[in-house]
Amino acid sequence: MNYLSVLFLFLVSAVILEYKSRPPLFRSTRERLIIMSVIFIIGITADYYGVYNGHWVFPGNGLTGLWIGLLPIEDYLFAFIAPYWAIVVYNFLHNKN
């Protein structure tokens, strides 16, 4: 299974759990965009720093080959999907009765 497939499974599971969550995860679309944008920017900045300084590399196995700057497209998706999934799962488990 490649990296993109794993990210897709995480995204689908998060969307399903968010749909079933009560109370809603975000109060508005604006709140959702602001919170996820801040997390995304922090994540991508940290990844750029790490790759630029040689702390980690992306060897290419399981990647699509599409790159934006120093990072593969999958890493941009990961910077959005992984925090979203973590927030959704936390909210679902925390509010489960």
Side-chain angles (χ1 to χ4, degrees), residues 17-65:
L17 285 179
E18 183 179 4
Y19 178 74
K20 293 183 175 203
S21 291
R22 296 292 177 252
L25 185 56
F26 299 102
R27 287 176 272 184
S28 68
T29 301
R30 182 172 186 260
E31 181 183 68
R32 173 190 303 267
L33 290 173
I34 291 170
I35 291 171
M36 294 310 298
S37 294
V38 169
I39 293 170
F40 177 81
I41 290 167
I42 291 169
I44 291 301
T45 302
D47 285 355
Y48 258 91
Y49 177 81
V51 170
Y52 182 77
N53 289 306
H55 297 297
W56 63 83
V57 296
F58 296 95
N61 297 336
L63 301 176
T64 61

Side-chain angles (χ1 to χ4, degrees), residues 17 21-25 86-97:
L17 285 179
S21 291
R22 296 292 177 252
L25 185 56
I87 292 168
V88 168
V89 169
Y90 173 81
N91 186 58
F92 182 79
L93 295 175
H94 181 71
N95 293 316
K96 191 174 182 180
N97 292 327

